[in-house]
Amino acid sequence: DGGITQSPKYLFRKEGQNVTLSCEQNLNHDAMYWYRQDPGQGLRLIYYSQIVNDFQKGDIAEGYSVSREKKESFPLTVTSAQKNPTAFYLCASSTAKPGPIMRQPQHFGDGTRLSIL
Amino acid sequence: AQSVTQLGSHVSVSEGALVLLRCNYSSSVPPYLFWYVQYPNQGLQLLLKYTSAATLVKGINGFEAEFKKSETSFHLTKPSAHMSDAAEYFCAVSATANQAGTALIFGKGTTLSVSS
């Protein structure tokens, strides 16, 4: 079955440590996204990528970094500069092509819950 | 700029009662609108989408939503709630290219509780 796989499901970060969250999709989607979810705040966009080797900052990119070396993969690194990393992180993908507006829905992985040790 | 407001962070209904979850949007262009459901510790699942074809949209699990341009609303309804409907629901509007590329703009979510 096609879908999005996020790993690990739970992750713990020590002070000053960088951690990387994995996101892999086999839906042949061009666009991929990372969202952060905090209770009562909905989903906030961290980074998105519409094509391999290209990505853009979302609303809350500070303290995070991404890469898009392969169409199937869009890993997110939470750096030590992110002072409040505890949250639920969701990866999504879509068939959206660059254009004035997005018409296609996004497909989501099951998330990674990150906590501070 | 695109934005979504979900009225009511928490809605409680009895099993068999009508479910109504409210969503109002702001859009500088004709919008595309989506409703998603999230169960605890899981990702989001698409319930339904409005892409200008029909104003009444039917989705999965018996849910439907009506697009009302005059009220800038896209409320989600279900005639009879089931215990398995208890979850968090998100309304989303499509972003424009100069706002966030191809991303969606999400509301803050509404938690639905269903009692027996």
Side-chain angles (χ1 to χ4, degrees):
Chain A
D1 284 342
I4 299 177
T5 301
Q6 290 189 242
S7 62
K9 192 166 180 64
Y10 299 96
L11 187 58
F12 298 91
R13 195 191 87 169
K14 295 180 181 179
E15 192 75 31
Q17 184 183 40
N18 293 353
V19 293
T20 297
L21 285 60
S22 172
C23 177
E24 303 277 334
Q25 56 100 357
N26 60 5
L27 299 166
N28 198 31
H29 286 171
D30 292 301
M32 297 187 74
Y33 317 82
W34 274 106
Y35 293 93
R36 170 178 171 143
Q37 185 177 17
D38 296 280
Q41 296 197 43
L43 277 69
R44 294 181 289 171
L45 184 65
I46 304 173
Y47 269 97
Y48 64 98
S49 168
Q50 298 177 131
I51 197 168
V52 174
N53 292 324
D54 188 45
F55 49 83
Q56 286 78 39
K57 294 181 179 180
D59 299 321
I60 56 167
E62 186 174 352
Y64 300 96
S65 66
V66 294
S67 63
R68 187 85 188 277
E69 297 177 1
K70 299 186 301 181
K71 186 175 184 178
E72 302 79 17
S73 179
F74 192 41
L76 173 73
T77 296
V78 183
T79 75
S80 56
Q82 173 49 248
K83 299 306 180 187
N84 183 24
T86 298
F88 192 50
Y89 290 86
L90 286 162
C91 179
S93 70
S94 74
T95 60
K97 299 292 185 181
I101 200 166
M102 194 193 88
R103 295 171 174 78
Q104 299 303 320
Q106 293 178 357
H107 299 258
F108 284 82
D110 281 339
T112 293
R113 188 165 298 279
L114 176 62
S115 303
I116 299 178
L117 276 179
Chain B
Q2 317 295 86
S3 67
V4 166
T5 301
Q6 291 185 241
L7 301 175
S9 59
H10 199 157
V11 171
S12 297
V13 300
S14 299
E15 194 172 20
L18 172 71
V19 175
L20 171 61
L21 304 183
R22 300 178 186 272
C23 173
N24 287 88
Y25 70 89
S26 172
S27 179
S28 57
V29 297
Y32 288 89
L33 296 158
F34 307 83
W35 273 101
Y36 285 85
V37 61
Q38 184 183 34
Y39 299 100
N41 290 313
Q42 293 187 23
L44 276 66
Q45 179 183 6
L46 181 68
L47 275 178
L48 49 81
K49 62 180 181 180
Y50 167 75
T51 55
S52 78
T55 57
L56 183 63
V57 181
K58 295 187 183 299
I60 63 172
N61 302 338
F63 283 94
E64 63 182 35
E66 186 172 8
F67 173 73
K68 292 186 177 180
K69 183 178 179 180
S70 61
E71 299 177 8
T72 61
S73 69
F74 190 56
H75 301 331
L76 182 71
T77 61
K78 181 174 181 177
S80 176
H82 191 273
M83 296 294 286
S84 61
D85 295 326
E88 190 161 19
Y89 292 80
F90 291 94
C91 183
V93 65
S94 48
T96 55
N98 63 353
Q99 185 175 15
T102 59
L104 292 176
I105 310 300
F106 285 87
K108 294 188 175 183
T110 298
T111 300
L112 176 65
S113 299
V114 182
S115 59
S116 57

